[in-house]
Amino acid sequence: GIRYGLKVDNWVDERRDPEKSTVAAAKYLKDLYDRFNNWYLAAAGYNAGEGRIDRAIKKYDTEDFWKISKEKYLHTETKDYVPKLIAAAMIAKSPEKYGFKAIQYEEPVRFEEVTLDAPIDLRVAAKCASITYEEIKALNPELLHWLTPPDHKEYRLKIPAGVKAKFQSSYASLSPEERLGGEKVTVEEA
């Protein structure tokens, strides 16, 4: 993932972000196709790694995935991966033909992004967006902790569509301590 621009550190693992990881995976698969000029070998390389497929091609002196898969060099998982991928593509193209009827497709998750200039406790962010902690975590699966990354100058947090103005207003009214989950305390002299 890192090779394709995904950030992975102690706070964020963008391989867990569905959009970013899908784009990275597609780029990787395209690069594998460009390397092998064959979709079956590209898919096998995606599963096993391009180096292993390069070695298999050399070892068996063939670029035919099906011939290579009959040998012992590739793991069973990779040998099965390509046919399963083909089957999934065929089913996705014509689900009714394969017995999948009345499929209830889920609506895409609708969200907006807000750029934060300081870290925020996700429980506080959830309150600013009028949602639960679990919902804010689900929208931001790349976050590994309860806090947005403190070392990022700006962080783009996903929130439900339609609440951006409310979120920004609530966020702007918070002190730095409140953003981190602390409460404002007023001390009066006796």
Side-chain angles (χ1 to χ4, degrees), residues 168-188:
Q168 289 174 320
S169 174
S170 296
Y171 178 78
S173 72
L174 297 172
S175 70
E177 296 79 22
E178 290 171 314
R179 290 177 184 170
L180 296 177
E183 295 184 24
K184 222 184 241 185
V185 177
T186 305
V187 179
E188 294 181 16

Side-chain angles (χ1 to χ4, degrees), residues 1-122:
I2 295 168
R3 185 188 326 173
Y4 291 91
L6 298 180
K7 186 174 189 99
V8 179
D9 62 28
N10 291 333
W11 290 92
V12 174
D13 184 348
E14 290 182 339
R15 295 173 299 183
R16 297 171 52 167
D17 180 299
E19 287 189 347
K20 290 177 182 176
S21 62
T22 299
V23 169
K27 287 178 181 176
Y28 181 42
L29 193 55
K30 181 193 178 300
D31 287 350
L32 289 169
Y33 178 78
D34 290 345
R35 179 182 190 140
F36 297 118
N37 200 30
N38 178 298
W39 283 115
Y40 300 145
L41 292 174
Y46 185 89
N47 183 262
E50 62 264 27
R52 187 162 194 86
I53 301 306
D54 280 333
R55 291 187 295 278
I57 290 169
K58 286 179 186 156
K59 181 175 176 100
Y60 299 112
D61 194 30
T62 183
E63 293 182 2
D64 184 327
F65 169 77
W66 304 110
K67 287 181 182 176
I68 293 170
S69 69
K70 289 179 182 170
E71 303 295 340
K72 294 183 180 184
Y73 186 73
L74 295 180
H75 295 290
T76 303
E77 177 187 331
T78 302
K79 291 178 185 182
D80 292 345
Y81 183 79
V82 174
K84 286 178 180 179
L85 190 61
I86 293 167
M90 290 172 67
I91 292 168
K93 190 173 181 180
S94 304
E96 299 82 18
K97 181 177 177 180
Y98 299 98
F100 294 90
K101 299 178 186 337
I103 298 171
Q104 298 293 322
Y105 292 100
E106 292 184 21
E107 287 294 318
V109 176
R110 307 256 185 246
F111 64 87
E112 303 178 273
E113 292 183 332
V114 288
T115 302
L116 306 176
D117 58 359
I120 189 169
D121 181 318
L122 293 180

Side-chain angles (χ1 to χ4, degrees), residues 148-164:
T148 59
D151 58 343
H152 292 209
K153 298 251 186 260
E154 291 187 341
Y155 186 77
R156 296 178 63 82
L157 184 72
K158 294 177 199 78
I159 58 172
V163 300
K164 189 172 188 173

